[in-house]
Amino acid sequence: MRSALLSASLLLLGLLAPGLGAQEAPSPSGPPPASNAPPAPEQDEAMTTLHENVNLVDLFFTARDKQGFITNLAKSDCALMEDKTPQTIKNFTQEKKLPLTIGILLDTSGSQQNVLPIEQQSAATFLRDVLTTKDEAFLISFDINVDLLADFTNRASEIRHALDKATINTGAGTGSVTGNGTPRGTLLYDAVFLAAHDKLSTEAGRKVLIVLTDGEDQGSQETLKSATEAAQKANAIIYVILIADRGFYGGFYSGDREMERLATDTGGRVINVGNNGRKLEDAFAQIQDELRTQYLLSYTPTNSKADGTYRKIELSCGKDLKVQTRKGYYAISSVDTQ
């Protein structure tokens, strides 16, 4: 199991590394090129000071009432608490144009056999409608393995091509990577962790993971807690679209509660579509609407300790409005500031 997961992780990390071009050597007959670089000690000191002084927390959120999304909020309309201590909101904007990075995580385990075709079609249509030239998307499938099917691209057609190639993998004839002795597994938490930690943690702007799954995890090395923590540290919002042929489980199904925690703790939500293609299309439309009505606020926490602890966030923008945002964040640790 560990070796298989490591292979997937290395694949993701390998694709993250940019190509290194050869540098042109100076002419041997000429003088050495002049350098305008400041002395190393002063540069290091300046960079360290800047890193320590910048401690803004960014918070993406949407607000709605019974009629729909609210798009005219002002900073003065909202109140923010961190660990029950009031915070001062510094910046407040509605983010329609901030670059967007979307990761599609596609469950290709045996239980998805009957719903994979509608997942492929709906996800491709969603990306075609959402992606602009400044946005990017990638595609990961997960079953008994975690595979990067398409790396960062702003071309929806490339993702669609990769979606069309996705196939169900039950591990039949290949052995088990779960260590359970049977060729089955759904590495859902591993996929979320790798997508958040290896793909999104260094990306700027808005970051979203859309997980199409029945919500069942089997054999992951990561846990619900570690997968959620990776997404929170990457400031990635997770939407879980629950889609499954429930008959596959013979009436027994238990993934809903864990998926609710995974989504809501990161500022997203769960949309249950059963195995209905029209409901799936509507789920993607809802996500698209939310991405178009997001706000971004930032603040400097009154708790300035670089202790790496988890801080709880409460945001309200009026008693009649439902605010959707992440539940908290992890503070910078002292290791990060060194």
Side-chain angles (χ1 to χ4, degrees):
M1 169 61 209
R2 182 176 295 272
S3 61
L5 178 58
L6 180 60
S7 298
S9 180
L10 289 175
L11 172 62
L12 292 174
L13 289 171
L15 287 170
L16 275 173
L20 299 178
Q23 295 182 344
E24 183 178 352
S27 170
S29 61
S35 173
N36 296 321
E42 294 181 13
Q43 185 184 37
D44 291 344
E45 181 180 354
M47 290 177 66
T48 301
T49 301
L50 177 63
H51 189 87
E52 289 178 350
N53 288 341
V54 176
N55 189 25
L56 280 177
V57 175
D58 291 333
L59 198 63
F60 292 98
F61 72 95
T62 57
R64 71 177 81 189
D65 60 14
K66 294 180 180 179
Q67 280 70 49
F69 291 103
I70 305 300
T71 58
N72 59 351
L73 288 176
K75 180 167 64 175
S76 57
D77 295 321
C78 299
L80 180 65
M81 306 278 282
E82 179 181 299
D83 289 338
K84 300 184 179 180
T85 301
Q87 306 294 312
T88 300
I89 299 173
K90 286 192 171 182
N91 305 306
F92 189 97
T93 57
Q94 189 170 2
E95 290 298 340
K96 294 181 179 179
K97 298 182 179 180
L98 196 66
L100 177 64
T101 304
I102 301 175
I104 301 292
L105 274 57
L106 184 65
D107 186 341
T108 48
S109 61
S111 61
Q112 301 298 94
Q113 180 74 57
N114 294 329
V115 294
L116 181 60
I118 60 174
E119 290 178 317
Q120 293 166 314
Q121 175 62 42
S122 297
T125 301
F126 167 76
L127 291 175
R128 182 198 65 194
D129 295 340
V130 169
L131 286 184
T132 68
T133 55
K134 64 185 177 182
D135 302 323
E136 288 187 316
F138 62 92
L139 173 66
I140 287 176
S141 69
F142 60 95
D143 36 65
I144 65 169
N145 298 306
V146 179
D147 296 306
L148 181 65
L149 301 185
D151 204 4
F152 290 119
T153 179
N154 61 8
R155 299 180 61 184
S157 59
E158 291 186 14
I159 303 292
R160 173 157 197 159
H161 185 65
L163 280 165
D164 289 342
K165 288 188 173 182
T167 57
I168 297 297
N169 181 13
T170 61
T174 63
S176 172
V177 299
T178 65
N180 296 327
T182 56
R184 66 174 190 170
T186 307
L187 307 186
L188 193 164
Y189 298 145
D190 287 346
V192 172
F193 180 90
L194 290 170
H197 182 272
D198 292 2
K199 301 297 288 180
L200 294 182
S201 61
T202 57
E203 293 296 303
R206 296 181 294 164
K207 295 173 276 190
V208 174
L209 291 177
I210 300 176
V211 187
L212 294 120
T213 181
D214 54 21
E216 293 284 347
D217 180 277
Q218 291 180 334
S220 279
Q221 179 174 301
E222 301 298 333
T223 64
L224 172 61
K225 182 179 184 300
S226 63
T228 303
E229 181 177 326
Q232 290 170 329
K233 288 182 175 179
N235 198 9
I237 299 170
I238 298 179
Y239 288 93
V240 178
I241 299 180
L242 280 179
I243 178 168
D245 179 3
R246 298 302 174 93
F248 177 88
Y249 294 97
F252 177 75
Y253 183 80
S254 61
D256 299 44
R257 182 177 299 179
E258 288 76 12
M259 293 302 97
E260 188 70 31
R261 289 177 56 191
L262 180 65
T264 56
D265 284 356
T266 60
R269 62 190 181 97
V270 172
I271 307 175
N272 194 333
V273 301
N275 59 358
N276 188 304
R278 179 161 295 184
K279 287 185 178 180
L280 177 59
E281 293 176 2
D282 183 62
F284 275 114
Q286 292 177 43
I287 295 172
Q288 185 173 346
D289 287 343
E290 292 183 18
L291 295 177
R292 287 174 173 170
T293 55
Q294 275 185 325
Y295 293 90
L296 169 62
L297 68 79
S298 59
Y299 70 101
T300 300
T302 55
N303 182 354
S304 60
K305 294 180 180 178
D307 55 9
T309 58
Y310 182 74
R311 314 279 176 80
K312 292 183 179 180
I313 292 175
E314 295 178 61
L315 177 65
S316 60
C317 299
K319 65 177 182 179
D320 295 326
L321 297 185
K322 180 179 179 181
V323 173
Q324 181 177 309
T325 190
R326 56 176 170 158
K327 303 294 185 182
Y329 73 100
Y330 284 88
I332 296 174
S333 69
S334 57
V335 176
D336 297 327
T337 61
Q338 294 176 358

